[in-house]
C-alpha cells in the first residue's frame, strides 16, 4: 500500500469505529513505509478508542517529547481526551494540557490544525465542535487546503462536530429498532447535498492529495447514497477501486453501494472478492450474511457464516463492543425468527456484555429486542425494564442517546404488552412515550395498532383499521427515505409489520377466507391479480390506497419480501395474507417461493393443498398433503392439514372419512375456543375457525344427520356472535335451507338484514346468489347488486360487483357503465382501467378500449416507483446463485395480462407497430432485444443467461407473448421476424420443460408431458418453416428434437416422412412410414404417402391399390381423390380416375348432390386442368372457392390457368398476342386479390409477380423482379421464384441472365412440391439445347421430365422433334402420338406435327384422322387442312 492509501484507510476505519483495524493498519504501514509521526499518532489513537487509556497516555507523552511540531497539537488533544474518558479522571493533568493546547493552537501550522481538527471529528467527544471551527480557520488562512475542505465535507455529511440535533449517531443503530427517529431525514438529505457539492468541488481540482482524494471519493459515494442516487454511488466506488487498488476497504464499500442500489449479485461478488483478498474482512462477512438471510433464506448456511464472522471479529476487533452490538442488531432484524440465527446473535451480545466495563443499556436493549423476536415476551419485558432503569440512572452518557434508549425500551415493552394482550399496560407505555416527546410518527402507529387489537368486534373496527393504515403510511414514508438494504430493516421491524398484516387480514378478508376455504371462488377477483403488483417495487413500500390495488393486508409484506425474499417469516405471513384475501394465484406463487427457499416447509405444502382445493384440483391437493407429511409427519395433527384432507376425502366420495377429519379438526386447540395470545404456535384465524364449523355441518348434512348439523350451526352462531364472521354462519344456514329445497326461508332470512347492519353487503350478495342459482331470476339478481351499489355509492367494490353481475347476465353495455362509475371513484386504479378496456372490446368499442388500456399502462408506470431497481450485471457469479435475482418477476401477472390484451387489440386494429412495442415492453425489456437474433444457440444462451430464475408462470407468459408476436409478424408478412420470434418461443419452452422436470413449482407428470408436447409442436413448426427455405439439415434436426420430446406423435412423424418424400429420400421416408403404421395401421396420411412412395419406385399399380383400399372404405375422401388424380396424371394413367369419381358420386348421393361438394369439385378441377380443359377447370375451381379449406388453393389454381406461369419462356407462350396476355393478367389479378395480401407463402408472391409480367409494361417488370427477389432473399433455392426471375429477365430481353437462372434450377435437387417449376426449367433448357443442336442434352432433359411425369406432353413433343431430326418418322410419330394423347388433343400444334410425320411415314389414313380431330376442335386452324389433309386424301385415292 502507498502512504496515501494507508492514511485514507486509517481515517476510514477510525470513522467506522474499528479501533483495532486502525492500530493494525498503522503498524503495517510503519513496517513497510518506515516510521512516520502521523501514523504513530493514529496508531495510539486506536489504543485510546479501544479503551486502554493508560497505555495510550504513556505513548502519546513519549511522542509529544519527540519534537514533531505537526502532531503536537493533536497529541495533546488526544491525551486530554484519554484522561477525560478514563474511569478516574486526573483533572490536574487535563487542565495542564488544555492550557498548553490553547497556547500551541495560536501558532500552529495549517497541517497541525488539520490533524487537530481530524482528531476531534473522529474521536466524537465533547469537543467535537472544535473540528468544524478549526477546519474553517484553516480555510480562512488558506482557501485551497484540500484536507480541510474534505474534513468539512465529512462534518457536513455526518453532523459530527456540527450543531444539528439530528446528526447521525453510530450508536443509534444499536439503540433503535422500529423506533428509529425519522424526523432528521430531511435535514440529513440536506446535509448530504451540501457535502456532495464540497466533494465535487474537491475532486474537480488537479492538486488534490492522494489520501484526500480517496477520502473525498468515499465521502461522495456516501453522500450519493444518502440522496438515494445509488447507481451513481456504485460508479464512484468503481472509480475508487480502479484508481487506488491498495485501498483495502474498497471491496466492502463497493459491496455496500451495490447493496443500496439493489444490485445483490454484484454486492455478493464484491464481498466474496474482498473475502478472497482478506478472509477476516468483517464488513464483507456482514454483507455475505445479510445476503444469505435476505436473498437465499438459507439459515443453516447463515449460521456457519455468522460463526466465521464471529471468529473474524475475535481476531480483528476483539474489544469492540459497539461493533459487536451493531453486527448482532443487523443480523437479528433479518433472522426471520430463526432460533439458531438469533442464538448466534445472542452470543455476540454476550461477548459485548462481557467486554463492557459495566452493564450497558445499549447491550441490554438489543438483548430485549432479540428476546421479543424469539417470542419470549416475559423475559423481554424484564430486560426492557432493566434497560430503561439503567438508561435513566446513567449520567455519563450523552443526554440524547440516553433519551433514545429509554424511548426504545418503552417502545419494545409496548410491543410485548400488545403481543400478550395486556392492552392497558401497553397504553401506559404509550403515554410514557408521548411524555418523553417520542417521534410523532411512532406513537400514532402503535396507538392504532393497540386499538385495532382491542376492537375485535365490528363496532368502530373500520375507523380503527383506517387509522392504523394511515399511521403505517406515515411510518413507511420515512422508512422509504432510508437506503433499501440494512438501514431499512433496522428501521422497519418485520415482526411488527407481520402483526399489522395479520390484523388487517382478520378485519378485511374473513369472508374471502371462508369462501376460499370452502373451495368457492374469491369474491375479490380483482385483488387476485392486483396483489402481485407491488412485487415490481423492490425499493419502496407504498401504502397509498389511491395508487395501489393490492390489499392492505399484504401490501407491506409484499414490499418486505421484494426486498428480502429470503425472509421466511415474512413469506409465511404473506402467503397466509394472500390466501386470506382470495388471491390464490399469488398465494401459490409465495408458497412455491417458500419451497424453493426451504424444501421441507410443511406449511407451504399444506397451503398448496388448500389452494389446489380452491381451484378444484384435488389430485394436486392430495400430492401436496403427501409432500407435507413426508417432510414433517407431525403436520397431520395441524388444523389446516385436517381441513384439506377432509375436503379431498369428501370430493372422492369418502364422506365418513371427511367427517372423521373434521371432527379431529374441531377438537384441535383454538377451534372451538380462540387460542390465547402470546402462544408460540400460529393461531387459527377466526375465519378458519368459522370455516371448520361450516364444513363440519355440511359433512353432517351429507350423511343425513340434519339435527346434528343444526346443532353445530347453532353452536357456531353462539361462538361467532358479534364478530365479522357472524354473517357467514348465517349464510351457511341459508345454504343448508336451499339444499333442503326451502329457498323461501333462505330468501326471507337474508332479506331481513337491513341496510343499517354491517352485515348488509354480505347478506345482499348471498341473496343475489340465491335469486340466480335457485330461482333463475336474473332481474332480481341484478336488483340486489344495484341495491348494494346504491347503498354504498362511494364503495368502488360495489360497482365492480355490479359490473361483474351485468357481465354474468350478458349485458356488456351496462357493465361498462358500472365500471365507469367505479373508475370515477378511483381514477388511479390501473386494474379498473384494464377491466374497462376489456369490457369495451366486448361491446366492439375498440377505440375506447384502446384508450382505457393505454390509461392502465400509464397508471401502472406511475405506481411502479422507486429510486433504483435490481439490475443485471456482468457478474461472474453463477446464474443459479440464490442471490442473483428475486424470486419475484419484474412483470406482475395483472400488468402482463393487460399488456397482452392491449397487444391483441392493436393486432386486431392492424396497428402492428404498436402491438410489437407492447409485446417488447412485456418480454424484450426484460431479456434484451429479441429482435436482433443470430443463430439459435446464441439466442438460447443469451436468453437463458438473462433469465436464470423465472417461474413457470413467467415462462408461460413469455411464451404466449412471443406466440402473439409470431401472429403479428405473420400478418405483416415479415417471415424473418416470425422465425426469430418462434425460435424464442422454443427457448422459453425448453426452460419450461427443464423447470417442470426438476419439479420446481409443479410436480405433476401430466404437466411435464404437456410442456413437452408444446415444445414438440414448436419444434415441428420451426422445422416446417426451415423446410420451406430448403434448409433440410436444420429441418430434420428440429424434427428429431420434436420427436425426442413427443416420440409417438403421428402428426410430426407424418411431416418427417412427407419431407423425405419431397426431397426424394424414399428409403428414409419408408422407415418413418413403417413406424407410423406400427402405431396406427389405419393412418390415412401414412397410407397416402406409402402410395406416393410406390409411385416414386415406379410401382404405379401398388400405389393405385393403396388408394383403392382407402377410397373403398371412404369413397367421400375427396382429399385422397385429389391426390390420386395428381398421381395418375404423373403416371400417364389419368383415365383410370373416372372409376373413383363414379364411386364418390354414388357415396355423395348422386351427381346432383356431388356437384356442390367443394372437395369433389376441387378434384374434378385438377383432372380438367390436367386434360387442358381450361374452361371446365375454371368452373370447378370457382365452385369450391366458397369453402374456407379449398379457397386459397382453388384461387391459386385458377390464377395459374389464366397466367400459365410455367410456360412463360416457351415458344408457344411467345405466340400469344399482347392483348390476350393482358386480359388474362387482369382476370388473374382480380382473383388473386381476393386472397389476403398479407399471406407469407412464396406462391402468392410469385403469382403476383407473374400478374405484373403479363401486363407487359417495363416499370411493372421491375416491380415483378422485386417481388421475386423478396422470395429469393428468404429462400435462395426456391425453384418457382428462380423460374419467375428468369421469365422476368427473358421479357426484358436479357437472355443470358434468364438462362443462368434456369441452369441454377437444373443444379438443385428436385422437390415434389415444386415439381412443375423443375419440369418447366428442364423443358426450357431442352428447347434451347435443341435449337442449339445439342440433341443429346435435350433428350436427357426430356427423359428426366418423363421419369417424374409421364403425362408431360411438352417433353414428348420435344422428343418427337428430336426423333424427326435424328431418326425415322415412325419414332417421331410415336412421340408425337404420346404428346397428342396426353394433351387430350387440345394442342393443334402437336396435332399438326403428328399429322406431318404420319404423312411422311405414308400413314395417310391415320394422318387424315388426326387432321380431322384438329379441325373439329380448332376450325380456325386451316393450315393443316391445306398443307397436309388434302394431300393425304389425294394420296389415299387410287
Amino acid at each position: 500500500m502507498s502512504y496515501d492509501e494507508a492514511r485514507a484507510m486509517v481515517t476510514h476505519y477510525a470513522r467506522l469505529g474499528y479501533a483495532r483495524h486502525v492500530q493494525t493498519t498503522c503498524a503495517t504501514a510503519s513496517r513497510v513505509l518506515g516510521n512516520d509521526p502521523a501514523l504513530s499518532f493514529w496508531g495510539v489513537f486506536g489504543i485510546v478508542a479501544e479503551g486502554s487509556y493508560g497505555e495510550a497516555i504513556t505513548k502519546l507523552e513519549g511522542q509529544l517529547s519527540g519534537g514533531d511540531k505537526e502532531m503536537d497539537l493533536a497529541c495533546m488533544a488526544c491525551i486530554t481526551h484519554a484522561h477525560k474518558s478514563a474511569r478516574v479522571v486526573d483533572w490536574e493533568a487535563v487542565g495542564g494540557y488544555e492550557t498548553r493546547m490553547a497556547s500551541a493552537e495560536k501558532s500552529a501550522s495549517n497541517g497541525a490544525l488539520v490533524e487537530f481538527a481530524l482528531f476531534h471529528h473522529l474521536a466524537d467527544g465533547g469537543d467535537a465542535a472544535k473540528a468544524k471551527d478549526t477546519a474553517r480557520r484553516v480555510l480562512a488562512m488558506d482557501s485551497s487546503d484540500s484536507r480541510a475542505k474534505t474534513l468539512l465535507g465529512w462534518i457536513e455529511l455526518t453532523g459530527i462536530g456540527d450543531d444539528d440535533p439530528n446528526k447521525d449517531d453510530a450508536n443509534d443503530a444499536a439503540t433503535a429498532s422500529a423506533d428509529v427517529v425519522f424526523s432528521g431525514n430531511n435535514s440529513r438529505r440536506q446535509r448530504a447535498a451540501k457535502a456532495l457539492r464540497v466533494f465535487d468541488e474537491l475532486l474537480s481540482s488537479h492538486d488534490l492529495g492522494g489520501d484526500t482524494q480517496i477520502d473525498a471519493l468515499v465521502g461522495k459515494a456516501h453522500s450519493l447514497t444518502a440522496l438515494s442516487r445509488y447507481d451513481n454511488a456504485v460508479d464512484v466506488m468503481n472509480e475508487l477501486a480502479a484508481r487506488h487498488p491498495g485501498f483495502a476497504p474498497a471491496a466492502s464499500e463497493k459491496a455496500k453501494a451495490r447493496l443500496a442500489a439493489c444490485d445483490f449479485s454484484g454486492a455478493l461478488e464484491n464481498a466474496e472478492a474482498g473475502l478472497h483478498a482478506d478472509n477476516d474482512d468483517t464488513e464483507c462477512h456482514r454483507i455475505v450474511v445479510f445476503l444469505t438471510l435476505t436473498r437465499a433464506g438459507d439459515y443453516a448456511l447463515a449460521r456457519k457464516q455468522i460463526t466465521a464472522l464471529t471468529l473474524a471479529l475475535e481476531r480483528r476487533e476483539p474489544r469492540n463492543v459497539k461493533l459487536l452490538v451493531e453486527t448482532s442488531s443487523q443480523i437479528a432484524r433479518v433472522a426471520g425468527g430463526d432460533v439458531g440465527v438469533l442464538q448466534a446473535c445472542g452470543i455476540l451480545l454476550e461477548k459485548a456484555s462481557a467486554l463492557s466495563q459495566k452493564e450497558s443499556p445499549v447491550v441490554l436493549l438489543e438483548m430485549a429486542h432479540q428476546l421479543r423476536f424469539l417470542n419470549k415476551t416475559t423475559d423481554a419485558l424484564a430486560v426492557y425494564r432493566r434497560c430503561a432503569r439503567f438508561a435513566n440512572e446513567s449520567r455519563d452518557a450523552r443526554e440524547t442517546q440516553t433519551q433514545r434508549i429509554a424511548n426504545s425500551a418503552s417502545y419494545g415493552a409496548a410491543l410485548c404488552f400488545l403481543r400478550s394482550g395486556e392492552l392497558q399496560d401497553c397504553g401506559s407505555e404509550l403515554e410514557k412515550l408521548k411524555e418523553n416527546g417520542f417521534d410523532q410518527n411512532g406513537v400514532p402507529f402503535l396507538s392504532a395498532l393497540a386499538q385495532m387489537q382491542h376492537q375485535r368486534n365490528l363496532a368502530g373496527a373500520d375507523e380503527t383499521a383506517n387509522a392504523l393504515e394511515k399511521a403505517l403510511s406515515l411510518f413507511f414514508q420515512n422508512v422509504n427515505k432510508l437506503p433499501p438494504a440494512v438501514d431499512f430493516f433496522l428501521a422497519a421491524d418485520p415482526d411488527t409489520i407481520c402483526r399489522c398484516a395479520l390484523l388487517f387480514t382478520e378485519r378485511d378478508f374473513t369472508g374471502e377466507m371462508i369462501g376460499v376455504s370452502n373451495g368457492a371462488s374469491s369474491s375479490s377477483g380483482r385483488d387476485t391479480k392486483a396483489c402481485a403488483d407491488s412485487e415490481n417495487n423492490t425499493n419502496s413500500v407504498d401504502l397509498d390506497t389511491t395508487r395501489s390495488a393490492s390489499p392492505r393486508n399484504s401490501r407491506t409484506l409484499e414490499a418486505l419480501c421484494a426486498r428480502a425474499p429470503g425472509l421466511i417469516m415474512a413469506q409465511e405471513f404473506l402467503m397466509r395474507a394472500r390466501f386470506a384475501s382470495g388471491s390464490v394465484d399469488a398465494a401459490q406463487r409465495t408458497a412455491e417461493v417458500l419451497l424453493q427457499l426451504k424444501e421441507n416447509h410443511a406449511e407451504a405444502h399444506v397451503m398448496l393443498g388448500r389452494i389446489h382445493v380452491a381451484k378444484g384440483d384435488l389430485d394436486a391437493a392430495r400430492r401436496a398433503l403427501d409432500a407435507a407429511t413426508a417432510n414433517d409427519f407431525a403436520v397431520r395433527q395441524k388444523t389446516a392439514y385436517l381441513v384439506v384432507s377432509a375436503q379431498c376425502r369428501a370430493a372422492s366420495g369418502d364422506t365418513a372419512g371427511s367427517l372423521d377429519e373434521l371432527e379431529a379438526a374441531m377438537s384441535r386447540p383454538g377451534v372451538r375456543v380462540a387460542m390465547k395470545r402470546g402462544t408460540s404456535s400460529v393461531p387459527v384465524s377466526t375465519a378458519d375457525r368459522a370455516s371448520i364449523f361450516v364444513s363440519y355441518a355440511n359433512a353432517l348434512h351429507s350423511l343425513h344427520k340434519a339435527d346434528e348439523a343444526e346443532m353445530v350451526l347453532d353452536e357456531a352462531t353462539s361462538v361467532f356472535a358479534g364478530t365479522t364472521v357472524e354473517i357467514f354462519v348465517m349464510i351457511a344456514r341459508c345454504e343448508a335451507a336451499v339444499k333442503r329445497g326451502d329457498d323461501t326461508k333462505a330468501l326471507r332470512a337474508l332479506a331481513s338484514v337491513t341496510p343499517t347492519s354491517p352485515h348488509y353487503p354480505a347478506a345482499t350478495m348471498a341473496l343475489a346468489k340465491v335469486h340466480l342459482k335457485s330461482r333463475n331470476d336474473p332481474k332480481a339478481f341484478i336488483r340486489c347488486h344495484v341495491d348494494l351499489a346504491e347503498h354504498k355509492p362511494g364503495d368502488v367494490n360495489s360497482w365492480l360487483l355490479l359490473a361483474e353481475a351485468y357481465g354474468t347476465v350478458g349485458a356488456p353495455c351496462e357493465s361498462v357503465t358500472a365500471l365507469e362509475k367505479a373508475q370515477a371513484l378511483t381514477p388511479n386504479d390501473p386494474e379498473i382501467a384494464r377491466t374497462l378496456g376489456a369490457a369495451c372490446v366486448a361491446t366492439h368499442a375498440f377505440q375506447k378500449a384502446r384508450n382505457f388500456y393505454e390509461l392502465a399502462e400509464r397508471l401502472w408506470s406511475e405506481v411502479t416507483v422507486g429510486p433504483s431497481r435490481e439490475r443485471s450485471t456482468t457478474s461472474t457469479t453463477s446464474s443459479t446463485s440464490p442471490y442473483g435475482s428475486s424470486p419475484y418477476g419484474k412483470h406482475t401477472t395483472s400488468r402482463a395480462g393487460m399488456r397482452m390484451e392491449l397487444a391483441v387489440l392493436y393486432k386486431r386494429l392492424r396497428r402492428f407497430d404498436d402491438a410489437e412495442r407492447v409485446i417488447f415492453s412485456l418480454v424484450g425489456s426484460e431479456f434484451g432485444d429479441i429482435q436482433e437474433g443470430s443463430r439459435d444457440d446464441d439466442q438460447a444462451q443469451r436468453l437463458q443467461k438473462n433469465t436464470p430464475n423465472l417461474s413457470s408462470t413467467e415462462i408461460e407468459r413469455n411464451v404466449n407473448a412471443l406466440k402473439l408476436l409470431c401472429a403479428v409478424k405473420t400478418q405483416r408478412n415479415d417471415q424473418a421476424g416470425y422465425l426469430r420470434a418462434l425460435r424464442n418461443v422454443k427457448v422459453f419452452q425448453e426452460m419450461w420443460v427443464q423447470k417442470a422436470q426438476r419439479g420446481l413449482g409443479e410436480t405433476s407428470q401430466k404437466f411435464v408431458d404437456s410442456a413437452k408436447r408444446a415444445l414438440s409442436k414448436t419444434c415441428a413448426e420451426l422445422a416446417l418453416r426451415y423446410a420451406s427455405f430448403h434448409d433440410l439439415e436444420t429441418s430434420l434436426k428440429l424434427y428429431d428434437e420434436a420427436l425426442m420430446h413427443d416420440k409417438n406423435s403421428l402428426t410430426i412423424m407424418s411431416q418427417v416422412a412427407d419431407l423425405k418424400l419431397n426431397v426424394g429420400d424414399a428409403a428414409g421416408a419408408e422407415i418413418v412410414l413403417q413406424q407410423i403404421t406400427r402405431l396406427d395401421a389405419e393412418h390415412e396420411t401414412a397410407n397416402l404417402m406409402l402410395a406416393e412412395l410406390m409411385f416414386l419406385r415406379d410401382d404405379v399399380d401398388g400405389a393405385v391399390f393403396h388408394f383403392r383400399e382407402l377410397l373403398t372404405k371412404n369413397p367421400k375422401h375427396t382429399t385422397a381423390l385429389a391426390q390420386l388424380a395428381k398421381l395418375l396424371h404423373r403416371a400417364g394413367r389419368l383415365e383410370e380416375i373416372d372409376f373413383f369419381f363414379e364411386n364418390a358420386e354414388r357415396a355423395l348421393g348422386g351427381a346432383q348432390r356431388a356437384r356442390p361438394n367443394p372437395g369433389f369439385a376441387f378434384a374434378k378441377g385438377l383432372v380438367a386442368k390436367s386434360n387442358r380443359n381450361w374452361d371446365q377447370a375454371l368452373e370447378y375451381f370457382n365452385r369450391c372457392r366458397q369453402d374456407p379449406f379449398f379457397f386459397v388453393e382453388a384461387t391459386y389454381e385458377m390464377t395459374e390457368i389464366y397466367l400459365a406461369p410455367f410456360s412463360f419462356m416457351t415458344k408457344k407462350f411467345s405466340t400469344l398476342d399482347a392483348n390476350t396476355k393482358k386480359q388474362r393478367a387482369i382476370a388473374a389479378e382480380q382473383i388473386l386479390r381476393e386472397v389476403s395480401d398479407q399471406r407469407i407463402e412464396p406462391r402468392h408472391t410469385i403469382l403476383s409477380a407473374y400478374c405484373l409480367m403479363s401486363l407487359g409494361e417495363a416499370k411493372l417488370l421491375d416491380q415483378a423482379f422485386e417481388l421475386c427477389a423478396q422470395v429469393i432473399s428468404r429462400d435462395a433455392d426456391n425453384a418457382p421464384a428462380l423460374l419467375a426471375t428468369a421469365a422476368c429477365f427473358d421479357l426484358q430481353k436479357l437472355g443470358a441472365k434468364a438462362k443462368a437462372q434456369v441452369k441454377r434450377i437444373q443444379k438443385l435437387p428436385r422437390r415434389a412440391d415444386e415439381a412443375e417449376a423443375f419440369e418447366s426449367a428442364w423443358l426450357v433448357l431442352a428447347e434451347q439445347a435443341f435449337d442449339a443442336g445439342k440433341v443429346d442434352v435435350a433428350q436427357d432433359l426430356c427423359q428426366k421430365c418423363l421419369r417424374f411425369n409421364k403425362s408431360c406432353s411438352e417433353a414428348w413433343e420435344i422428343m418427337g422433334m428430336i426423333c424427326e431430326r435424328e431418326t425415322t418418322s415412325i419414332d417421331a410419330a410415336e412421340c408425337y402420338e404420346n404428346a397428342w394423347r396426353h394433351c387430350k388433343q387440345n394442342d393443334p400444334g402437336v396435332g399438326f406435327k403428328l399429322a406431318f410425320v404420319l404423312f411422311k411415314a405414308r400413314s395417310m389414313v391415320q394422318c387424315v384422322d388426326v387432321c380431322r380431330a384438329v379441325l373439329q376442335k380448332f376450325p380456325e386452324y386451316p393450315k393443316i387442312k391445306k398443307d397436309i389433309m388434302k394431300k393425304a386424301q389425294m394420296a389415299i385415292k387410287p
Side-chain angles (χ1 to χ4, degrees), residues 263-342:
D263 181 8
F264 302 109
S265 57
L268 178 66
E269 179 185 2
N270 290 131
E272 289 179 341
L275 290 176
H276 181 75
D278 180 4
N279 194 41
D280 289 334
D281 190 321
T282 55
E283 284 294 293
C284 290
H285 272 297
R286 290 167 66 184
I287 292 170
V288 168
V289 172
F290 177 81
L291 288 171
T292 300
L293 290 171
T294 59
R295 309 304 297 176
D298 191 341
Y299 294 126
L301 176 61
R303 288 192 288 271
K304 294 179 182 179
Q305 292 171 345
I306 294 171
T307 301
L309 171 59
T310 304
L311 294 174
L313 288 171
E314 289 178 353
R315 287 190 289 266
R316 291 296 179 88
E317 290 291 334
R319 300 178 60 186
N320 197 327
V321 176
K322 186 187 77 172
L323 180 58
L324 289 169
V325 175
E326 183 181 323
T327 302
S328 178
S329 174
Q330 291 179 358
I331 296 174
R333 295 309 179 277
V334 293
D338 184 77
V339 176
V341 175
L342 289 173

Side-chain angles (χ1 to χ4, degrees), residues 1114-1135:
N1114 184 11
K1116 296 186 289 185
H1117 196 319
T1118 54
T1119 303
L1121 192 62
Q1123 190 167 347
L1124 176 60
K1126 293 179 181 179
L1127 186 149
L1128 290 175
H1129 170 67
R1130 295 201 305 271
R1133 296 163 55 174
L1134 188 59
E1135 61 276 2

